[in-house]
């Protein structure tokens, strides 16, 4: 009786095959998303032209149909932009730049100025370290996490968000905590999967890519990200790590508020 022959690939070959497959998937996402931009802009543009030129000839239902079409085009545009951002992580970028995360946080909060003003959000940012990384990707990481903290707020109180960091051996551990609606621990792994949504779109807008993008950015920089365990306080706390930059300062600082 002869043994069964197996054709399992060695580990190094499996790793190389996975790397090649991921590269092809990223290239496909980039090309497909980029090629979708122009026809989508045309759809939205012509719908708006119809409304401007023939709006007085349309009844309420006709105007509503145009509104639905424009809204759908805008949501598709947001999805395409998030897909492009997701596919670009690790492409044509480097983690070798010395980045001041205090400047990164300031830029992220400036990008969120309208949302913060609209919701009366207060964001307290602690003294953050310098790390090696890609500045644009780190701005997007902070912007996504703080933006989510503000978006998923309780209806009866304004958002309060704290971002801080502490040294833990050879890495920095960061935290973004809020007083929002919270996330059940059973969803801890699912929330980092692309296109996963825990709430209906009519309750909270979004493409379902934000946290998956955060995970990809953190892992690209050599760290990890997770949902904090519940300690009885309301809201959500995300934790993530980034490697300590050689000769990095390790002192702890205070916090400053951004209203």
């Amino acid at each position: 009786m002869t043994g069964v022959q197996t054709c399992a690939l060695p580990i190094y070959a499996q790793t190389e095959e996975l790397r090649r497959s991921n590269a092809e998937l990223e290239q496909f996402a980039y090309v497909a998303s980029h090629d979708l931009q122009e026809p989508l802009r045309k759809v939205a543009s012509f719908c708006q032209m119809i409304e401007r030129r023939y709006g007085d000839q349309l009844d309420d239902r006709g105007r509503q149909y145009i509104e639905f079409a424009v809204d759908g085009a805008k949501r598709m545009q947001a999805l395409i932009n998030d897909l492009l951002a997701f596919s670009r992580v690790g492409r044509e970028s480097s983690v070798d730049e010395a980045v001041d995360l205090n400047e990164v946080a300031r830029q992220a909060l400036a990008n969120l100025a309208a949302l913060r003003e609209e919701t009366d959000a207060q964001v307290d940012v602690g003294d953050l370290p310098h790390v090696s990384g890609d500045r644009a990707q780190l701005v997007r990481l902070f912007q996504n996490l703080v933006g989510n903290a503000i978006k998923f707020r309780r209806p009866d109180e304004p958002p309060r968000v704290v971002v801080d960091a502490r040294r833990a051996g050879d890495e920095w551990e960061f935290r973004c905590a809020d007083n929002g609606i919270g996330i059940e621990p059973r969803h801890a792994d699912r929330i980092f999967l692309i296109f996963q949504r825990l709430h209906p779109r009519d309750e909270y807008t979004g493409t379902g890519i934000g946290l998956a993008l955060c995970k990809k950015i953190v892992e690209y920089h050599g760290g990890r990200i997770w949902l904090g365990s519940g300690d009885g306080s309301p809201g959500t706390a995300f934790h993530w790590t980034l490697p300590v930059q050689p000769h990095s300062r390790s002192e702890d600082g205070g916090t400053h508020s951004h209203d």
Side-chain angles (χ1 to χ4, degrees), residues 170-187:
D170 59 354
E171 44 182 30
W172 291 102
E173 182 178 324
F174 300 86
R175 177 183 64 130
C176 179
D178 63 60
N179 64 339
I181 61 175
I183 298 175
E184 294 183 29
R186 62 193 176 95
H187 297 310

Side-chain angles (χ1 to χ4, degrees), residues 102 105-106 109-110 116 120-128 146 150 159-164 253-259:
N102 296 292
R106 277 191 282 273
L109 293 180
R116 289 163 49 216
D120 192 27
Q122 177 180 317
V123 183
D124 296 327
V125 180
D127 188 40
L128 302 178
V146 175
I150 296 173
R160 297 292 178 261
V161 186
V162 175
V163 179
D164 53 24
T255 61
H256 47 281
S257 296
H258 298 261
D259 297 315

Side-chain angles (χ1 to χ4, degrees), residues 207-229:
T207 60
I209 297 177
L211 287 176
L213 178 59
C214 289
K215 182 174 186 286
K216 192 173 183 183
I217 291 172
V218 169
E219 290 180 349
Y220 174 64
H221 283 79
R224 62 193 191 284
I225 186 170
W226 67 96
L227 178 67
S229 57

Side-chain angles (χ1 to χ4, degrees), residues 23-199:
E24 289 178 349
L25 183 60
E26 289 172 0
Q27 180 67 16
F28 170 78
Y30 178 82
V31 172
S33 299
H34 189 272
D35 289 347
L36 281 171
Q37 293 274 16
E38 183 54 36
L40 189 60
R41 276 193 292 266
K42 186 175 291 187
V43 169
S45 176
F46 274 95
C47 283
Q48 290 168 328
M49 287 173 63
I50 290 172
E51 184 176 29
R52 285 195 299 268
R53 185 162 184 175
Y54 302 106
D56 57 349
Q57 301 176 39
L58 297 172
D59 59 12
D60 289 343
R61 179 168 293 182
R63 284 189 287 271
Q64 185 180 51
Y65 288 164
I66 290 177
E67 184 180 329
F68 287 159
V70 172
D71 178 67
K74 288 180 178 177
R75 284 196 286 110
M76 178 65 81
Q77 188 112 42
L79 178 60
I80 289 172
N81 288 334
D82 282 354
L83 273 174
L84 282 171
F86 189 82
S87 69
R88 282 173 178 153
V89 176
R91 295 168 58 88
E92 302 176 359
S93 63
S94 169
V95 296
D96 296 333
E97 177 187 356
V99 180
D100 180 356
L101 291 182
N102 296 292
E103 290 294 329
V104 163
R106 277 191 282 273
Q107 181 61 60
L109 293 180
N111 295 345
L112 293 167
L115 179 62
R116 289 163 49 216
E117 178 75 20
E118 174 190 331
T119 59
D120 192 27
Q122 177 180 317
V123 183
D124 296 327
V125 180
D127 188 40
L128 302 178
H130 292 66
V131 299
S132 296
D134 179 284
R135 187 180 188 279
Q137 298 292 353
L138 292 171
V139 168
R140 185 174 287 274
L141 169 67
F142 276 68
Q143 184 175 330
N144 278 4
L145 289 172
V146 175
N148 266 7
I150 296 173
K151 180 170 71 172
F152 294 102
R153 59 190 178 276
R154 295 178 182 275
D156 55 343
E157 58 182 312
R160 297 292 178 261
V161 186
V162 175
V163 179
D164 53 24
R166 68 180 185 89
R167 179 80 176 258
D170 59 354
E171 44 182 30
W172 291 102
E173 182 178 324
F174 300 86
R175 177 183 64 130
C176 179
D178 63 60
N179 64 339
I181 61 175
I183 298 175
E184 294 183 29
R186 62 193 176 95
H187 297 310
D189 293 326
R190 177 185 164 199
I191 55 176
F192 293 109
L193 299 177
I194 194 167
F195 300 132
Q196 293 296 308
R197 299 177 56 91
L198 302 184
H199 307 279

